[in-house]
Amino acid sequence: MIQYGSCSTNRTKHDWRAEFKRLEGAYAPSTMKSYYSDVGIFVQWCADRDVDPFPATVETVCRFLEDQAPGKAPSTMRRRLYAIRKAHRLLRLEDPTYDEEINLTYRRINRAKRTRPKQAKGLTRRYLDRFLAVQPEGPRGLRNRAMLLLGYELLTRRSELVALTIDDIEFLGNGTLRVIIRRSKADPFGQGRIAFTSKRTARAIEEWLDWRGPHISFLFCPIYQDKAIDRDLSTCTVKRLVKTSARAAGLDAEEVDAFSGHSMRVGAAQDLLCAGHDTAAIMRAGGWKSINILGRYLEMAEHNVWA
């Protein structure tokens, strides 16, 4: 069973944590972590003000949203509101979150925020080639180059990249790879999506596997004292790889900070747009279900339709 931290005070007779355990296995671990964190923050906020979190009044939820809003992204506030809603539903209590007053409070908060949502800097082809060139010699360089190339061409999220196993890849007769991404944020039931790579990426994967050997199930694994360790990598490894590569490539601190573990997915989508691929092809390549989300990725692409 997944364990998460608890808030220091819980002034409610309702055992909301026990109810949330019912969700485990039905939701991704990252979603569960957010639920525990957001509801814990709400419960602690209520305890500090000596008000009951469950069932919460409309006034309590409105005050909580207004108090939490400064410095928080709209997506964070939306997530916390949904967590409060989920808690009331699990506890089978009357849900205050659909009240029109809360809707108006939430809209006022969002309209007051003038900043655009922060978007990870795209790791486009021109950056990718520079990042590949600065990888160290030896096994870490083999792994890093394979991860960068595969993450870019599959348009993977961090969690998708580190979850790949040797059974998920197939070397094709034309020198490329066929890869199945079995589970993702947008695919909670594991139907999977199929993606393909270039010959260059297939060669990089083959070189990495030749060194690593066949005895490890995960495609990418840690390396300790020049030996492959039989376990998966953390998602933080992907972010660290991208930022370390950016520094090694000589980028300034501000540009390094703009990159994230999501940058390969963003950059590849932007490159596909600039290469003339239509929206349907890009959505299929990256497994997007919503054109609105894809639009956020593409808006920073240097693509002038009039040029």
Side-chain angles (χ1 to χ4, degrees):
M1 186 70 71
I2 302 170
Q3 298 295 323
Y4 301 98
S6 61
C7 67
S8 58
T9 307
N10 189 345
R11 295 191 174 213
T12 175
K13 62 181 179 294
H14 299 286
D15 189 356
W16 64 271
R17 291 184 181 279
E19 295 300 322
F20 267 89
K21 288 180 181 178
R22 292 162 48 200
L23 302 181
E24 293 182 3
Y27 289 85
S30 58
T31 301
M32 292 302 304
K33 185 176 181 180
S34 295
Y35 273 145
Y36 279 107
S37 173
D38 290 334
V39 178
I41 289 170
F42 174 65
V43 170
Q44 184 64 64
W45 183 91
C46 290
D48 292 343
R49 290 154 183 79
D50 200 26
V51 296
D52 290 329
F54 306 119
T57 65
V58 170
E59 180 186 6
T60 295
V61 177
C62 288
R63 287 174 55 202
F64 172 74
L65 294 176
E66 291 170 342
D67 186 73
Q68 292 283 298
K72 303 291 192 307
S75 59
T76 300
M77 299 309 303
R78 181 174 60 250
R79 194 188 68 215
R80 290 190 178 168
L81 180 60
Y82 287 175
I84 296 170
R85 178 176 300 162
K86 179 64 77 173
H88 280 79
R89 292 179 65 182
L90 288 172
L91 291 165
R92 294 179 174 84
L93 299 172
E94 184 176 351
D95 181 4
T97 64
Y98 286 102
D99 190 274
E100 183 61 19
E101 193 61 37
I102 291 177
N103 177 51
L104 293 174
T105 298
Y106 180 72
R107 290 179 65 87
R108 278 194 293 269
I109 289 170
N110 282 346
R111 286 179 60 83
K113 294 182 181 294
R114 302 302 182 189
T115 57
R116 292 168 59 83
K118 186 177 180 180
Q119 175 68 67
K121 184 176 180 63
L123 202 169
T124 54
R125 174 69 69 176
R126 68 188 183 96
Y127 287 112
L128 176 64
D129 290 338
R130 292 176 65 181
F131 288 12
L132 293 171
V134 298
Q135 297 310 313
E137 295 298 324
R140 278 191 173 78
L142 290 175
R143 185 194 65 187
N144 292 353
R145 282 187 287 272
M147 287 180 65
L148 287 168
L149 283 165
L150 196 64
Y152 172 85
E153 291 190 357
L154 300 186
L155 290 85
T156 59
R157 300 175 178 88
R158 294 182 298 172
S159 58
E160 296 168 356
L161 185 60
V162 299
L164 289 172
T165 70
I166 193 68
D167 293 332
D168 296 330
I169 67 170
E170 178 186 356
F171 288 90
L172 302 179
N174 63 0
T176 65
L177 283 177
R178 178 183 183 272
V179 184
I180 180 168
I181 300 166
R182 298 185 184 276
R183 180 157 297 186
S184 71
K185 178 181 177 181
D187 181 23
F189 301 110
Q191 294 180 339
R193 67 179 174 93
I194 303 296
F196 299 89
T197 73
S198 67
K199 294 180 180 179
R200 178 168 77 151
T201 295
R203 286 194 300 270
I205 294 294
E206 188 172 26
E207 290 172 1
W208 158 245
L209 292 178
D210 285 344
W211 178 85
R212 194 207 69 176
H215 60 288
I216 297 174
S217 59
F218 285 100
L219 182 58
F220 298 111
C221 65
I223 299 170
Y224 181 69
Q225 294 184 344
D226 285 341
K227 292 182 180 179
I229 307 301
D230 189 6
R231 63 177 175 81
D232 61 332
L233 293 170
S234 73
T235 55
C236 294
T237 306
V238 181
K239 177 180 178 180
R240 189 162 54 245
L241 169 59
V242 171
K243 288 189 174 289
T244 300
S245 300
R247 293 189 193 94
L251 303 184
D252 61 47
E254 183 176 355
E255 201 165 13
V256 171
D257 185 61
F259 283 104
S260 78
H262 220 56
S263 290
M264 291 181 286
R265 183 169 168 83
V266 175
Q270 293 172 352
D271 281 345
L272 289 174
L273 174 68
C274 294
H277 295 281
D278 61 29
T279 303
I282 300 173
M283 289 182 70
R284 181 189 181 282
W288 279 283
K289 307 298 184 193
S290 167
I291 194 170
N292 294 331
I293 299 299
L294 177 59
R296 285 179 51 201
Y297 283 64
L298 299 181
E299 66 178 3
M300 299 303 292
E302 296 183 9
H303 181 55
N304 185 348
V305 298
W306 305 112

